[in-house]
Amino acid sequence: DTGVSQDPRHKITKRGQNVTFRCDPISEHNRLYWYRQTLGQGPEFLTYFQNEAQLEKSRLLSDRFSAERPKGSFSTLEIQRTEQGDSAMYLCASSLERSGTWVFGPGTRLTVL
Amino acid sequence: AQTVTQSQPEMSVQEAETVTLSCTYDTSESDYYLFWYKQPPSRQMILVIRQEAYKQQNATENRFSVNFQKAAKSFSLKISDSQLGDAAMYFCAYRSAFGPGANNLFFGTGTRLTVIP
């Protein structure tokens, strides 16, 4: 297992389109986190899963955003009706239990035209 | 909510010299964790060093060490013998030890470190 992977690495879309990102965590990690990072800012928490259960969501996660982790392994983050303000780097991280070290993926950079 | 402040948007250091990056945070909690993460250009964020608030001893990882001042809510990172590969964005982060905040890392805005050959 080489770490957390994310796909795609880059996505360019037109405003109003739907996009979906995938995150594959480290296999034995039961916790998975999504963050958003805009230019010049630190990452901001979006949501997290423990196994397949989504246990916490940030107010940043509007109704257009949905995340799933159907079998407690990989996770998807979907953005519907994208807006230019959604342009950002979307980071995924995983950890083994809460106190474990969080390992981040390389991120998916979304550009909404 | 907890806030993390990094007051130095950019820093530079000569190769082989020492540099200190500053971080302050605001919290009413007594148990928490503090982290420094490194994000190289176009590469993923990696953990540099971690400090538990209940430990008085400052954490050290090879050339990286911290100065943790709990009363002052200060958590600076010292990089000794700087190398070209240290050039990156450095983020300070806070996480509660218990409760809902334990599931969330609060990040500062980052400090971009340039290493001059």
Side-chain angles (χ1 to χ4, degrees):
Chain A
D1 198 349
T2 56
V4 178
S5 61
Q6 292 186 246
D7 183 70
R9 296 290 306 276
H10 302 275
K11 178 70 177 179
I12 300 174
T13 191
K14 292 183 180 180
R15 188 175 51 188
Q17 298 294 304
N18 299 344
V19 294
T20 300
F21 311 140
R22 176 179 170 126
C23 170
D24 285 90
I26 292 174
S27 56
E28 63 266 27
H29 284 184
N30 61 343
R31 287 173 174 249
L32 186 147
Y33 312 85
W34 284 99
Y35 277 76
R36 183 174 72 183
Q37 184 179 16
T38 53
L39 200 61
Q41 299 296 318
E44 296 173 291
F45 172 77
L46 291 178
T47 188
Y48 103 94
F49 292 83
Q50 182 167 335
N51 300 312
E52 66 276 8
Q54 186 175 19
L55 297 184
E56 193 170 336
K57 293 195 290 186
S58 161
R59 286 172 291 180
L60 291 175
L61 214 66
S62 75
D63 292 344
R64 297 183 298 104
F65 288 71
S66 63
E68 294 182 341
R69 194 182 182 197
K71 297 182 180 179
S73 56
F74 72 92
S75 175
T76 58
L77 177 67
E78 180 183 16
I79 309 175
Q80 296 183 326
R81 305 181 303 281
T82 52
E83 301 172 356
Q84 287 185 325
D86 297 331
S87 296
M89 176 76 86
Y90 290 85
L91 299 171
C92 175
S94 69
S95 73
L96 179 63
E97 301 303 335
R98 184 167 58 189
S99 59
T101 298
W102 293 25
V103 180
F104 281 83
T108 294
R109 182 169 295 283
L110 172 67
T111 302
V112 182
L113 302 176
Chain B
Q2 286 73 19
T3 57
V4 178
T5 302
Q6 293 180 250
S7 59
Q8 306 155 316
E10 296 183 351
M11 291 282 284
S12 62
V13 62
Q14 206 78 33
E15 193 176 3
E17 297 296 308
T18 296
V19 65
T20 299
L21 308 184
S22 301
C23 172
T24 58
Y25 57 95
D26 186 25
T27 184
S28 58
E29 299 173 336
S30 58
D31 291 325
Y32 49 87
Y33 301 93
L34 294 165
F35 307 84
W36 278 99
Y37 279 87
K38 170 185 177 181
Q39 189 177 41
S42 302
R43 294 181 61 187
Q44 63 204 82
M45 196 171 316
I46 57 174
L47 179 65
V48 174
I49 200 164
R50 159 185 167 144
Q51 174 81 42
E52 289 86 353
Y54 64 86
K55 290 186 177 178
Q56 292 185 339
Q57 187 172 6
N58 289 323
T60 299
E61 289 287 341
N62 300 314
R63 298 182 295 106
F64 298 87
S65 62
V66 298
N67 183 5
F68 173 48
Q69 301 289 327
K70 191 172 184 180
K73 297 179 183 176
S74 170
F75 182 61
S76 60
L77 174 70
K78 185 171 83 171
I79 307 174
S80 303
D81 186 26
S82 297
Q83 301 175 359
L84 294 178
D86 295 334
M89 187 72 110
Y90 286 82
F91 290 98
C92 178
Y94 171 105
R95 179 161 64 84
S96 301
F98 305 103
N103 302 314
N104 183 6
L105 274 172
F106 292 91
F107 286 88
T109 51
T111 296
R112 183 173 302 281
L113 179 66
T114 301
V115 181
I116 304 166

